[in-house]
């Protein structure tokens, strides 16, 4: 399915060999960090994590298309690969999974990545609101900032998603709805919870162009996301992308996928590993060699060690931050409470 106008300008430029190698290095870094985060949860370093093995191409490819000087991304709890691709400090990002009360250490305004959203489909409405603000403040001359919001096939059944799609289409908000259809809404397969079997097909009901793409092909993801951004940035309204991929492994570290699918079913449904698929393509095209792949893996391992060390060094956050970060305007009662809290903290 492809109802989006053909690419033109910068969106139509092919990726260079250097960019292709960069994409592979990012995918390796994300794969290694993802596997390590699962181990960290088992070791008690972090209390919980939502794995994304198999979705590296969808996340790295879409994140690669973001212009962090003007766009804004609204993630769920499973977009570590997007954050890494956008250059977010990963100790600061992973601190969210450390369960510090205020939800992480990175600066959303500086990184252009909104705080992790654990409410299913919650980030979708936030993205549309921000995008509508761009419409009100900007001009349709190709300079609009674009919001990109992520959600899964399961979240697409939430009422918030339909409200967001309708509002964005009516108001021509510059937003890209990026759906990672990973085959499972936790324990329910897509065909049992998405009428018609396609999230992209729903876009037609809102008069919105849509793409259904191979989410395991990182090049296809980059190209599709760039096209969608160009469409939205030019004042033509929202675009929906459905990236068909597969969640290999559990929904979260508290999930047991053996309750709803067998290991054989997982292997059959997953297809060729997107990382191995891209590696074979780079080799066949003479863009990378064995030395490059070894170097990329070594860099990913070194990065993981740095991040793990940084996370373990994080201390508890002072509760007094609530008074600095939550309330825009304080009251005398809040000021007194903050003073008491700080005084008590000094004596602990």
């Amino acid at each position: 399915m492809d109802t989006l106008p053909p690419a033109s300008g910068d969106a139509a430029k092919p990726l260079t060999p250097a960019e292709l190698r960069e994409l592979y290095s990012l995918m390796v870094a994300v794969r290694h960090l993802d596997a390590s985060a699962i181990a960290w949860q088992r070791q008690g370093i972090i209390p919980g994590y939502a794995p994304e093995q198999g979705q590296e191409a969808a996340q790295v490819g879409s994140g690669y298309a973001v212009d962090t000087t003007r766009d804004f991304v609204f993630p769920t709890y499973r977009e570590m690969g997007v954050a890494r691709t956008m250059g977010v400090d990963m100790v600061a990002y992973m601190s969210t999974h450390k369960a510090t009360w205020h939800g992480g250490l990175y600066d959303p305004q500086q990184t252009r990545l909104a705080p992790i959203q654990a409410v299913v489909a919650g980030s979708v409405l936030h993205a549309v609101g921000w995008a509508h603000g761009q419409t009100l403040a900007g001009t349709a001359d190709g300079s609009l900032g674009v919001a990109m919001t992520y959600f899964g096939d399961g979240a697409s059944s939430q009422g918030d998603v339909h409200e967001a799609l309708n509002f964005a289409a009516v108001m021509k908000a510059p937003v890209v709805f990026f759906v990672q259809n990973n085959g499972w809404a936790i324990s329910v397969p897509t065909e049992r919870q998405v009428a018609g079997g396609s999230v992209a097909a729903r876009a037609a009901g809102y008069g919105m162009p849509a793409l259904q793409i191979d989410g395991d092909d990182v090049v296809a993801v980059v190209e599709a996301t760039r096209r969608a951004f160009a469409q939205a940035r030019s004042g033509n309204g929202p675009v929906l992308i459905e990236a068909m991929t597969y969640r290999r492994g559990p929904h979260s570290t508290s999930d047991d996928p053996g309750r709803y699918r067998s290991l054989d079913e997982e292997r059959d449904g997953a297809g060729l590993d997107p990382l191995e698929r891209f590696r074979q393509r780079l080799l066949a095209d003479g863009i990378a060699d064995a030395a490059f792949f070894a170097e990329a893996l070594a860099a990913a391992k070194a990065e993981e060690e740095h991040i793990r060390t940084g996370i373990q060094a994080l201390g508890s956050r002072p509760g007094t931050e609530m008074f600095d970060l939550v309330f825009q305007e304080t009251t005398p009662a809040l000021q007194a409470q903050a003073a008491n809290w700080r005084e008590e903290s000094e004596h602990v």
Side-chain angles (χ1 to χ4, degrees):
M1 177 183 296
D2 186 342
T3 61
L4 189 66
S8 61
D10 290 342
K13 292 180 179 178
L15 291 163
T16 66
E19 289 174 326
L20 293 170
R21 287 190 291 269
E22 182 182 16
L23 285 168
Y24 181 86
S25 295
L26 286 166
M27 289 176 68
V28 171
V30 170
R31 169 66 62 85
H32 197 69
L33 181 55
D34 182 65
S36 298
I38 297 172
W40 297 343
Q41 191 275 332
R42 304 297 190 237
Q43 296 163 11
I45 297 175
I46 57 176
Y49 180 71
E52 59 189 62
Q53 183 180 0
Q55 296 179 229
E56 296 88 355
Q59 296 207 1
V60 170
S62 56
Y64 200 74
V66 176
D67 181 347
T68 55
T69 67
R70 53 183 170 175
D71 301 329
F72 219 111
V73 172
F74 295 80
T76 72
Y77 44 79
R78 201 191 301 275
E79 270 70 63
M80 182 272 287
V82 178
R84 174 63 182 83
T85 303
M86 290 175 61
V88 177
D89 178 88
M90 296 313 291
V91 174
Y93 175 87
M94 291 300 296
S95 70
T96 303
H97 299 287
K98 182 83 169 176
T100 50
W101 73 269
H102 67 296
L105 295 172
Y106 66 91
D107 181 348
Q109 187 62 38
Q110 181 182 25
T111 61
R112 313 302 285 176
L113 181 76
I116 290 174
Q117 177 59 263
V119 176
V120 176
S123 58
V124 181
L125 291 172
H126 299 165
V128 172
W130 185 89
H132 183 52
Q134 295 299 293
T135 303
L136 296 176
T139 58
D141 60 357
S143 62
L144 286 172
V146 176
M148 179 158 61
T149 179
Y150 290 86
F151 56 100
D153 48 304
S156 72
S157 297
Q158 295 287 327
D160 285 354
V161 170
H162 297 277
E163 293 174 17
L165 290 169
N166 186 66
F167 185 93
V170 170
M171 297 298 181
K172 290 191 176 298
V175 55
V176 174
F177 297 95
F178 196 93
V179 184
Q180 293 175 91
N181 188 338
N182 62 19
W184 292 86
I186 304 183
S187 60
V188 180
T190 301
E191 60 268 18
R192 286 180 53 195
Q193 65 89 31
V194 175
S198 169
V199 181
R202 295 175 176 172
Y206 302 99
M208 184 186 306
L211 299 169
Q212 187 182 74
I213 62 173
D214 182 350
D216 291 339
D217 181 345
V218 68
V219 174
V221 175
V222 173
E223 292 174 347
T225 311
R226 284 179 171 175
R227 286 176 61 195
F229 268 80
Q231 171 81 358
R233 200 181 305 285
S234 298
N236 296 312
V239 179
L240 188 147
I241 298 175
E242 183 179 21
M244 307 303 291
T245 180
Y246 196 89
R247 169 167 58 79
R248 302 164 184 256
H251 172 77
S252 70
T253 48
S254 61
D255 174 42
D256 175 13
R259 295 176 302 162
Y260 49 84
R261 71 184 183 201
S262 69
L263 187 58
D264 287 339
E265 288 173 330
E266 182 177 313
R267 288 168 177 162
D268 292 341
L272 183 62
D273 176 8
L275 196 59
E276 175 61 21
R277 176 176 171 178
F278 193 36
R279 189 186 75 87
Q280 291 181 8
R281 176 174 178 173
L282 295 180
L283 279 171
D285 293 344
I287 293 173
D289 56 17
F292 166 77
F293 296 125
E295 182 180 346
L297 180 58
K301 290 181 177 179
E303 180 180 310
E304 178 273 332
E305 176 67 19
H306 169 75
I307 296 168
R308 180 181 61 79
T309 301
I311 292 173
Q312 289 182 303
L314 290 173
S316 59
R317 306 305 302 169
T320 52
E321 286 186 344
M322 175 178 67
F323 301 100
D324 301 321
L325 303 177
V326 176
F327 300 99
Q328 182 175 358
E329 297 180 5
T330 60
T331 65
L334 285 171
Q335 292 171 3
Q337 186 179 355
N340 290 336
W341 199 331
R342 291 189 175 96
E343 183 178 354
E344 292 175 2
S345 299
E346 291 175 356
H347 296 290
V348 173

